[in-house]
Amino acid sequence: MSNLISLNQIKRHYDVGGELVKALDGIDVSIKPNEYISIMGPSGSGKSTLMNIIGCLDTPTDGTYQFEGELVHEMDDDQLASIRNRKIGFVFQTFNLLPRSTALRNVEVPLIYSNTPKAERLEIARSSLISVGLGDRLDHKPNELSGGQRQRVAIARALVNTPSIILADEPTGNLDSKSGIEIMKILYDLYTKGNTIILVTHEKEIAKHANRIITIFDGKIKEDRANENMIKAL
Amino acid sequence: MTFDAIRANKLRSTLTLLGISVGIFSVISVMTAIKTLESSIESGLNVFGTNTFLITKDPAIQFGRNEKYRNRKNINLDQYFQLKERAKLPILVSGGDETQNVRVVTYKDKKTKQAPRVSGGDYGTLRTVNTYIADGRNLTEEDVHLSRSVCIIGADVVDVLFPFEDPLGKVIQLNGINFTVVGVTERQGQSFGQSQDNYVFMPVTTFLQRFRGKSYSLGITVESESSELYSETLDEVIGALRAIRKVPPGEENDFEITTNDELMETFGSFTGSIKIFAFSISVIALIVAGIGIMNIMLVSVTERIKEIGIRKAIGATRRHILFQFLTESVFLCQIGGIIGVIFGIAAGNVISLVAKVPAVIPIDWAIYGVISCSIIGIGFGSYPAWRAANLDPVESMRFE
Ligand SMILES: Nc1ncnc2c1ncn2[C@@H]1O[C@H](COP(=O)(O)OP(=O)(O)OP(=O)(O)O)[C@@H](O)[C@H]1O
Ligand SMILES: [Mg+2]
């Protein structure tokens, strides 16, 4: 199978007051469709930076990134926005919902950017929220929801344009274990439906939900192995 | 999403609106006021009918004093009669004068409350002010030649002095002098908030004897037969009057001719400068408001950096963000503009209430107002929107 994502010697350096911070320092990773990958590593090792680059939110200082065989650095703003909008669903540790908009509205926004007609939009957004078990919280604002509920809204938002890749950066980091399990169930469900899942976590137990575990340290890949004992969150 | 943001920032949005409203308000209120005045002055000026012109010693509208006019000879009765003799083209040459010195008109125990306009004229005068006899008769040549103590009264005077009687043939007193009422004119109503029916009108000869000393100057109204003959008539009358007043050839007229068109022009140039003034004021006000908009939009962008980052992460292009912020600023400006237009028209029309003339709505200025608000919204909203559109998504999402 051809690679969905292919990173070649990716570097991301920051210049912080004259001092060079090598957040990523030569990453080589290839990801095929329908893999479930955990990225592990200590704080500051470069996990989020890597996710942002894979998600076409950030541009590497050096190296090449091919998304579905196409070079990302040759794409313009509209193409990148379109990938973020249709191909990738991002789930963040801090939820990153629009605070002043209702759950339904939050889930509707990606559909606005993909020019989906209004009536269809509301229908899709509603069923997406129902699929994560929030059918009774459509008109609640983020601050009227629990952490687990907020993260489920964020997942509903990530899924609304039926992307093939889900990027989840510590999706359970801010949640209690019960809510965390629910999120992991949703991710596993998506994996069984054929989606590619990339999950950042620093918890070993969470990482074991994936069938491939990549460990990074100081911006470099320390280990990249298959996980034989994948936990099936049912 | 524009509305979400505006609703969430009510106070800030309101303050921004206010700036725009004030700018638009100033221009719309002045324009409405001028329109109101124009329409009433136009109807006021039309008292002097078409194809007529007025000869006076001094200009009808005069700014400041001018020695040139002070040294001019008066237009006296003799000159008027001579002009009437000599000018063959006009269908009407009518001389008259007016006084404000009569405080009350009495009949038996009744008195007028408001001092009426008292004027002298001849049979043609009514025609020059577009009025007709309702009852009785007009003045005649004989009345003028014999200086008869007769008069014609307006409807207001009838109302006060003759509520239950027929005024014709009755004797009324002006400053203690007796006059016999021979005619009553049709009611004309109000113009400029003043009744047009409060007057007493008598033969010019009688008027001059009773109410004027040696020094007076008549106003002579001339009517030509048709608009085709208008300029010819004008030339003939000017020539005749120059001869009568012995103006040497080559020197300019020592009297003024006022036509309806000229009055409109003089008024037009006067309102023109007010318009320019109001326009400059509101341009300045709108620029200030525009800077306010820009400032507030920049604050709004800064406050929503995280939101912008999130939006970009879920697929917003630069254009989407640009459009979002431009719509917001244009929308704010237009609301402000519409408020300004509404209050401006209301304020401008207060003048029409005071002046008792019909209210006007300057549709054209209202439209310009709203359009210029949109332009301000786009113009001053562009930079903040551009800043928002070019924010880096990762940096923005980190922003707290
Ligand atoms: N905008 C930035 N400017 C400077 N340095 C940065 C910036 N973003 C990240 N870094 C640095 O890059 C390194 C990797 O950061 P990153 O956020 O990817 O870590 P992480 O592995 O996600 O850590 P955590 O588990 O705490 O989330 C860190 O040392 C961080 O200080
Ligand atoms: Mg991180």
Side-chain angles (χ1 to χ4, degrees):
Chain A
M1 231 188 299
S2 66
N3 288 330
L4 183 59
I5 284 166
S6 159
L7 302 175
N8 185 14
Q9 278 303 304
I10 290 289
K11 295 187 176 133
R12 182 67 169 100
H13 296 173
Y14 293 103
D15 184 4
V16 185
E19 196 189 330
L20 195 66
V21 177
K22 298 180 174 178
L24 294 178
D25 197 20
I27 298 277
D28 291 299
V29 176
S30 292
I31 298 169
K32 293 194 162 54
N34 201 211
E35 284 194 83
Y36 192 154
I37 297 174
S38 284
I39 298 176
M40 290 200 62
S43 183
S45 54
K47 305 183 294 293
S48 295
T49 310
L50 181 59
M51 286 296 255
N52 290 337
I53 285 175
I54 293 174
C56 298
L57 278 173
D58 200 1
T59 349
T61 319
D62 198 13
T64 53
Y65 171 21
Q66 280 175 290
F67 184 88
E68 291 181 338
E70 286 188 53
L71 283 167
V72 170
H73 67 255
E74 285 175 354
M75 297 180 187
D76 63 18
D77 178 65
D78 282 6
Q79 283 171 293
L80 292 174
S82 167
I83 289 179
R84 294 196 290 261
N85 186 228
R86 293 161 197 265
K87 306 251 166 108
I88 294 173
F90 234 122
V91 181
F92 304 92
Q93 178 175 4
T94 52
F95 320 133
N96 283 347
L97 298 174
L98 302 179
R100 289 186 296 252
S101 306
T102 62
L104 188 65
R105 185 70 182 170
N106 264 288
V107 177
E108 195 190 344
V109 173
L111 294 163
I112 296 176
Y113 295 140
S114 60
N115 297 321
T116 312
K118 175 103 187 162
E120 216 177 307
R121 220 153 69 197
L122 286 174
E123 205 33 59
I124 298 172
R126 191 174 291 124
S127 56
S128 185
L129 277 168
I130 291 169
S131 76
V132 296
L134 287 176
D136 54 347
R137 294 286 187 276
L138 300 181
D139 295 323
H140 289 234
K141 300 234 171 97
N143 63 2
E144 297 159 356
L145 295 170
S146 73
Q149 287 171 332
R150 285 183 218 185
Q151 195 60 299
R152 280 186 278 157
V153 174
I155 291 177
R157 182 180 67 186
L159 298 180
V160 77
N161 270 325
T162 58
S164 58
I165 305 168
I166 307 295
L167 300 183
D169 190 351
E170 307 223 27
T172 60
N174 277 337
L175 302 179
D176 60 58
S177 58
K178 185 169 162 282
S179 306
I181 289 166
E182 279 170 16
I183 301 299
M184 294 319 293
K185 275 183 186 161
I186 296 173
L187 290 179
Y188 182 75
D189 191 40
L190 288 166
Y191 164 69
T192 58
K193 283 179 182 155
N195 285 293
T196 309
I197 315 282
I198 304 174
L199 169 75
V200 166
T201 182
H202 54 254
E203 290 177 56
K204 272 210 166 66
E205 285 310 304
I206 297 283
K208 282 181 187 159
H209 286 79
N211 58 11
R212 178 177 168 193
I213 300 175
I214 298 172
T215 312
I216 59 176
F217 189 80
D218 273 354
K220 292 194 173 75
I221 292 185
K222 203 174 116 190
E223 189 185 39
D224 184 350
R225 63 171 173 94
N227 178 25
E228 312 299 333
N229 316 317
M230 180 182 184
I231 300 172
K232 298 184 171 65
L234 294 169
Chain B
M1 34 192 143
T2 304
F3 302 102
D4 293 346
I6 289 173
R7 229 176 287 130
N9 294 298
K10 282 197 200 75
L11 178 66
R12 202 175 62 204
S13 308
T14 313
L15 288 175
T16 314
L17 293 185
L18 204 64
I20 292 283
S21 299
V22 168
I24 294 292
F25 172 82
S26 64
V27 74
I28 296 286
S29 57
V30 171
M31 293 307 164
T32 311
I34 286 180
K35 267 223 155 141
T36 311
L37 286 180
E38 265 174 355
S39 70
S40 62
I41 284 175
E42 267 163 41
S43 64
L45 288 180
N46 282 338
V47 293
F48 98 62
T50 46
N51 298 332
T52 61
F53 55 88
L54 181 69
I55 306 165
T56 47
K57 192 181 88 169
D58 299 319
I61 300 175
Q62 202 176 333
F63 300 108
R65 275 171 194 224
N66 196 327
E67 285 307 312
K68 178 169 118 191
Y69 306 125
R70 297 210 122 232
N71 296 330
R72 283 176 171 178
K73 280 187 291 188
N74 288 328
I75 298 174
N76 62 24
L77 207 53
D78 188 45
Q79 290 171 24
Y80 160 53
F81 287 140
Q82 282 189 49
L83 182 67
K84 224 171 159 163
E85 275 296 282
R86 289 205 198 184
K88 299 290 174 231
L89 286 174
I91 54 168
L92 182 76
V93 176
S94 171
D97 195 10
E98 214 181 276
T99 181
Q100 259 97 44
N101 290 337
V102 176
R103 292 273 152 251
V104 287
V105 180
T106 54
Y107 171 68
K108 292 185 179 161
D109 57 337
K110 297 194 183 63
K111 289 179 185 180
T112 54
K113 294 205 178 54
Q114 265 197 311
R117 282 185 294 134
V118 175
S119 59
D122 59 15
Y123 77 96
T125 307
L126 286 185
R127 182 181 164 85
T128 64
V129 295
N130 284 334
T131 310
Y132 304 93
I133 290 289
D135 205 2
R137 66 167 178 87
N138 195 351
L139 297 181
T140 62
E141 292 285 318
E142 241 185 22
D143 290 333
V144 175
H145 281 293
L146 302 175
S147 311
R148 280 186 180 141
S149 293
V150 294
C151 68
I152 290 172
I153 57 180
D156 281 2
V157 181
V158 176
D159 289 347
V160 178
L161 299 186
F162 302 100
F164 309 113
E165 278 178 81
D166 180 4
L168 297 181
K170 304 283 159 30
V171 176
I172 60 174
Q173 275 92 35
L174 279 74
N175 288 2
I177 307 161
N178 290 342
F179 292 90
T180 309
V181 178
V182 294
V184 174
T185 54
E186 274 180 7
R187 194 179 291 278
Q188 296 183 79
Q190 294 190 330
S191 155
F192 261 122
Q194 267 195 336
S195 170
Q196 300 297 298
D197 299 300
N198 189 23
Y199 59 83
V200 176
F201 164 65
M202 62 189 70
V204 63
T205 45
T206 319
F207 176 83
L208 293 174
Q209 282 169 22
R210 305 291 192 186
F211 299 106
R212 289 290 190 212
K214 285 253 166 342
S215 173
Y216 65 87
S217 187
L218 297 179
I220 303 173
T221 309
V222 181
E223 183 175 352
S224 76
E225 197 184 319
S226 64
S227 53
E228 287 79 35
L229 285 173
Y230 187 80
S231 58
E232 226 176 299
T233 309
L234 192 64
D235 288 345
E236 189 200 25
V237 168
I238 290 173
L241 195 59
R242 283 175 70 95
I244 292 162
R245 286 165 71 89
K246 303 199 172 58
V247 181
E251 247 174 63
E252 63 178 286
N253 294 339
D254 67 346
F255 49 88
E256 292 296 318
I257 304 279
T258 311
T259 61
N260 241 341
D261 290 349
E262 271 173 9
L263 272 185
M264 290 310 298
E265 249 170 58
T266 315
F267 178 69
S269 68
F270 172 66
T271 55
S273 45
I274 294 183
K275 277 182 193 167
I276 290 171
F277 179 70
F279 189 75
S280 344
I281 295 268
S282 41
V283 165
I284 293 169
L286 288 180
I287 288 176
V288 171
I291 293 168
I293 285 279
M294 176 134 103
N295 189 23
I296 253 138
M297 290 308 295
L298 284 172
V299 171
S300 168
V301 169
T302 310
E303 260 180 16
R304 280 145 69 191
I305 285 183
K306 195 175 165 89
E307 174 191 325
I308 295 163
I310 296 170
R311 286 178 182 279
K312 286 196 153 189
I314 59 178
T317 59
R318 282 206 189 100
R319 230 172 318 111
H320 284 128
I321 304 291
L322 194 74
F323 189 73
Q324 178 190 343
F325 281 90
L326 274 187
T327 338
E328 192 177 318
S329 97
V330 169
F331 182 79
L332 275 178
C333 288
Q334 281 180 344
I335 297 264
I338 288 167
I339 292 173
V341 166
I342 291 169
F343 280 92
I345 289 177
N349 275 312
V350 167
I351 292 182
S352 75
L353 280 180
V354 173
K356 296 211 174 73
V357 294
V360 291
I361 294 177
I363 302 273
D364 46 351
W365 281 98
I367 292 171
Y368 298 151
V370 175
I371 289 177
S372 45
C373 286
S374 316
I375 292 172
I376 288 166
I378 293 172
F380 288 90
S382 290
Y383 174 64
W386 178 85
R387 282 248 307 233
N390 283 295
L391 284 172
D392 177 74
V394 177
E395 295 289 319
S396 311
M397 273 194 296
R398 272 174 191 269
F399 191 87
E400 291 303 331

